[in-house]
Amino acid sequence: MFFVQLKNSIEIEKDTVKKMIHLYCKSKHGFKKQLCQDCQALLEYATERLEACKFGNAKPTCEKCTIHCYRPDMRDKVKKVMRFSGLRMIFVHPLKAARHMLKNIRS
């Protein structure tokens, strides 16, 4: 019998953000296997914020969220990463990109 372990919404969001930051760091900073120090700090911060999300698994995408829980400086960095990585995700991780777009439309 084949079982697929479904991840909860927060885990999916963390994985998507991680892939977006890796794509950004690889293209902008030249780090291939691991993240540069700034991108690693951003990933840790984003993961921490997702784990503390008040909406839990019912959370909308951050763009559509009514509560902005990121500090202004980190919010600017995440926006920059998402603007860069968003369209590229369609080619690199098409299922994750499609899932994120659908969730954004539904929110």
Side-chain angles (χ1 to χ4, degrees):
M1 209 177 248
F2 180 74
F3 291 97
V4 176
Q5 182 179 5
L6 297 176
K7 293 180 180 179
N8 65 39
S9 183
I10 297 294
E11 292 302 315
I12 292 169
E13 289 283 329
K14 287 194 294 190
D15 191 50
T16 302
V17 168
K18 180 180 179 181
K19 290 189 183 331
M20 291 179 96
I21 293 172
H22 272 275
L23 182 61
Y24 179 84
C25 192
K26 181 179 177 183
S27 297
K28 293 290 187 173
H29 305 143
F31 285 74
K32 298 193 188 301
K33 296 279 184 196
Q34 56 190 3
L35 296 173
C36 70
Q37 192 173 21
D38 287 343
C39 289
Q40 182 63 39
L42 180 61
L43 176 60
E44 289 170 8
Y45 182 79
T47 300
E48 178 184 299
R49 299 313 311 152
L50 284 167
E51 288 172 355
C53 182
K54 294 179 183 191
F55 294 106
N57 285 324
K59 99 177 249 359
T61 58
C62 291
E63 181 182 355
K64 301 282 184 164
C65 192
T66 56
I67 301 171
H68 296 293
C69 59
Y70 282 57
R71 293 188 324 247
D73 62 323
M74 289 299 207
R75 189 171 181 203
D76 290 341
K77 287 180 183 182
V78 165
K79 279 184 178 182
K80 192 176 188 180
V81 167
M82 294 207 176
R83 273 191 209 111
F84 178 84
S85 299
L87 289 176
R88 288 166 180 83
M89 286 286 288
I90 294 169
F91 301 106
V92 180
H93 300 287
L95 294 177
K96 289 217 169 283
R99 180 182 285 153
H100 186 75
M101 286 187 275
L102 285 173
K103 186 174 181 180
N104 204 18
I105 290 168
R106 287 184 196 151
S107 298

